[in-house]
Amino acid sequence: MATIEFLLNGTPTQCQVPPDTSILTLLRDHLGMTGTKEGCASGDCGACTVAMKGPTASEFASLNACITPAHQLQGQHLVTVEGLSVNGQLHPAQRAMVECHGSQCGFCTPGIVMSLFTLHAQQQQRPAPLSPERLEASLGGNLCRCTGYRPIRDAALSMSSYEWQTPQWFDATQPCPSALTPTCMEETVSRFFAQPTTLKELTALRRRYPSARLVAGATDLWLENTQRLATLNQLIDVTRVESLHHIEEATLAEQPGWWIGAGVTYSQLEPLFEAHFPAFAHLLQRLGSQQVRNRGTLGGNIANASPIGDTPPVLLALNASIELVHQGGRRLLPLSDFFLDYKKTALADDEIISRIFLPRLAEGCDLKVWKLSKRREDDISAVLGAFHYRLSDGVLSDVRVAFGGMAAVPKRALQAEAALTNTPVSQESFQAAQQALADDFQPMSDVRGGRHYRQQAAANLMERLYLSLSAPTQEVMLDAYAH
């Protein structure tokens, strides 16, 4: 087992643990630090929230310790609730929670305090109004069944009134930030956690160990360990490959857009989407919690190939492409050709997704995205519809419609698209498109919705699009869902 070297509340720390150990397990079972709690073990409740900062990062980011691999701490600075008070002085997040009566049973409190800690640190570096939307984003991944959230919100708003002397260790960096990259592995190695730093190293490991699991944010993969109790013996971490973290403006096949590295997180995507794809940006706010968005990646969401993944239907509607890389070269593939069947893709055993090309919305085109789920926040889609179109003189063109949750894979509704293309915005054309959905999909039934519900829900989303286009000056739905 490789030795992990990192800073823990400013103190250099070393430890050896199996490759499928989470940060939560490392803290509680190996280091005896039990302030961080285990609630859901799936990244939903936030009781295990901690903060981490890399050597080159400007600020700490919150994450769920229960689903983050411990080995990703290599060279990082981890802060837990035990490290916040300095010389007996509580951190403003802790003091505000005490004085605003934000804690009752206390089980969820450490995680809430850590989310407030990252918010406070951001405010120290980049002061900005604490709007309701910003508070919701910062605390949306923390559940509490005792206080009703009002006193927690009060604590967040009052943090700035308390003085705090920044400890010396706050900006410390790990003196040995080298990655856990095996330079020479025997073919018989059965358990390892590898951290390649270049695409060349990554593809070489991928070819040598085709059965090893690739791990980025681990927001879905780690559930196999925490929920199914599966052992993850061979893990190749892609988070240290610098080329996978770039966003660059480019042109592909004479179409302007952006190359987005597969390792770019949802949080890193937010500025780009807010500027150019408001509907996509709104969807990100409903994709997990802040802790999940800080870790989950666009490439991981695609490679996971879930029929209810949130981003693939939108990428399909935008006509995105992906670049697949292996040791011998690379190939470009339309995203529509990537998904083959349930959890099956065109990705070869020795390939990885290196980047995604996202075309810019052409002049006069628009994008609508609507997600249906049992909870509005931090929940998986039952049905997700993405609609790309151009509307000129009342006639639709360039129509691309894609759904998640309606088939074994994220899929475009080609028959519905044909029914709408080059037709006026009318009840007749949209009724034809709704009827065409029956030819496009034979929905599945599961715990999130039955086949008939999904068919009706997809048709209703088509109706929502019609209402939005036929009465653009009228509000036809709750503003929180409308884009």
Side-chain angles (χ1 to χ4, degrees):
M1 293 184 289
T3 299
I4 314 171
E5 300 180 74
F6 63 101
L7 291 178
L8 177 58
N9 298 323
T11 301
T13 304
Q14 295 184 351
C15 53
Q16 288 188 338
V17 290
D20 57 355
T21 303
S22 68
I23 290 178
L24 179 66
T25 299
L26 174 69
L27 288 173
R28 295 183 62 84
D29 295 353
H30 296 270
L31 299 177
M33 302 185 70
T34 56
T36 306
K37 308 301 183 185
E38 179 181 63
C40 64
S42 60
D44 288 331
C45 72
C48 68
T49 301
V50 293
M52 188 168 73
K53 181 171 71 170
T56 60
S58 60
E59 57 191 36
F60 285 95
S62 59
L63 57 89
N64 294 304
C66 69
I67 55 172
T68 303
H71 289 75
Q72 289 187 339
L73 288 173
Q74 177 72 0
Q76 308 290 302
H77 189 177
L78 179 70
V79 175
T80 69
V81 70
E82 289 92 343
L84 297 191
S85 63
V86 180
N87 298 325
Q89 179 186 12
L90 294 178
H91 184 276
Q94 296 171 305
R95 187 174 173 186
M97 284 287 286
V98 170
E99 298 194 7
C100 293
H101 306 286
S103 177
Q104 288 191 25
C105 81
F107 188 88
C108 64
T109 303
I112 293 171
V113 166
M114 291 309 301
S115 289
L116 291 177
F117 162 77
T118 59
L119 178 62
H120 181 270
Q122 292 169 6
Q123 284 291 89
Q124 296 290 102
Q125 291 192 354
R126 297 178 287 107
L130 286 180
S131 64
E133 292 78 16
R134 191 172 178 207
L135 287 178
E136 182 179 335
S138 299
L139 292 166
N142 294 92
L143 303 181
C144 177
R145 299 188 65 178
C146 295
T147 66
Y149 301 106
R150 177 61 183 269
I152 298 171
R153 179 180 179 276
D154 292 343
L157 292 172
S158 66
M159 284 192 300
S160 60
S161 63
Y162 303 112
E163 293 185 1
W164 187 58
Q165 187 66 38
T166 305
Q168 291 183 343
W169 59 257
F170 188 80
D171 292 319
T173 57
Q174 169 66 19
C176 181
S178 58
L180 302 174
T181 306
T183 56
C184 181
M185 279 190 175
E186 299 295 333
E187 295 294 343
T188 56
V189 172
S190 60
R191 303 198 77 187
F192 65 81
F193 191 101
Q195 275 183 340
T197 57
T198 66
L199 202 56
K200 182 178 178 180
E201 291 176 349
L202 173 57
T203 54
L205 283 167
R206 181 68 166 154
R207 182 171 184 176
R208 191 169 188 179
Y209 300 97
S211 61
R213 307 295 294 276
L214 298 180
V215 56
T219 55
D220 188 83
L221 173 65
W222 223 253
L223 300 186
E224 294 185 22
N225 179 268
T226 62
Q227 304 295 298
R228 303 177 191 172
L229 305 182
T231 300
L232 303 173
N233 288 321
Q234 297 182 334
L235 294 167
I236 301 174
D237 179 17
V238 304
T239 61
R240 304 300 173 97
V241 181
E242 184 182 356
S243 62
L244 300 183
H245 296 273
H246 295 164
I247 300 176
E248 52 187 350
E249 199 162 357
T251 299
L252 179 65
E254 301 183 353
Q255 191 167 21
W258 296 266
W259 279 113
I260 300 173
V264 173
T265 66
Y266 303 128
S267 293
Q268 292 168 335
L269 282 172
E270 286 177 8
L272 173 66
F273 286 3
E274 287 172 358
H276 299 281
F277 306 96
F280 210 165
H282 179 260
L283 174 65
L284 288 187
Q285 295 303 313
R286 296 190 58 199
L287 199 165
S289 61
Q290 187 69 65
Q291 293 93 318
V292 168
R293 293 191 292 273
N294 286 340
R295 302 294 300 167
T297 65
L298 187 62
N301 202 226
I302 294 170
N304 190 38
S306 170
I308 50 176
D310 281 348
T311 66
V314 190
L315 295 172
L316 287 171
L318 291 171
N319 207 26
S321 300
I322 57 174
E323 182 183 72
L324 309 180
V325 175
H326 56 91
Q327 239 186 338
R330 59 190 66 210
R331 61 186 176 121
L332 187 66
L333 196 68
L335 185 62
S336 55
D337 293 341
F338 181 72
F339 303 108
L340 303 179
D341 202 345
Y342 179 74
K343 290 284 188 175
K344 292 183 180 180
T345 71
L347 193 70
D349 289 342
D350 63 344
E351 286 183 320
I352 60 103
I353 300 174
S354 62
R355 53 185 184 167
I356 301 98
F357 184 77
L358 184 62
R360 180 188 293 268
L361 276 176
E363 186 71 26
C365 289
D366 204 352
L367 175 72
K368 302 285 188 185
V369 181
W370 292 302
K371 171 178 175 175
L372 302 179
S373 55
K374 290 188 176 182
R375 294 194 309 266
R376 181 181 177 274
E377 301 290 347
D378 199 6
D379 198 8
I380 297 172
S381 298
V383 175
L384 189 146
F387 307 87
H388 173 280
Y389 58 89
R390 181 195 303 273
L391 182 61
S392 178
D393 296 327
V395 176
L396 290 165
S397 61
D398 295 331
V399 178
R400 288 192 296 273
V401 177
F403 282 95
M406 292 292 289
V409 296
K411 183 181 173 185
R412 281 177 58 180
L414 298 179
Q415 299 298 320
E417 290 177 5
L420 290 177
T421 299
N422 297 326
T423 65
V425 176
S426 65
Q427 193 170 22
E428 292 74 21
S429 61
F430 274 84
Q431 284 179 344
Q434 289 173 313
Q435 293 170 2
L437 289 175
D439 297 322
D440 284 315
F441 301 108
Q442 291 75 48
M444 57 186 178
S445 293
D446 60 18
V447 295
R448 293 182 181 86
R451 178 172 64 88
H452 297 293
Y453 163 77
R454 284 190 157 104
Q455 196 76 52
Q456 185 63 56
N460 289 349
L461 290 182
M462 194 73 74
E463 180 73 9
R464 178 179 288 184
L465 178 62
Y466 166 65
L467 293 174
S468 299
L469 295 177
S470 60
T473 61
Q474 297 182 25
E475 183 176 326
V476 296
M477 63 202 75
L478 292 175
D479 180 69
Y481 290 81
H483 281 281

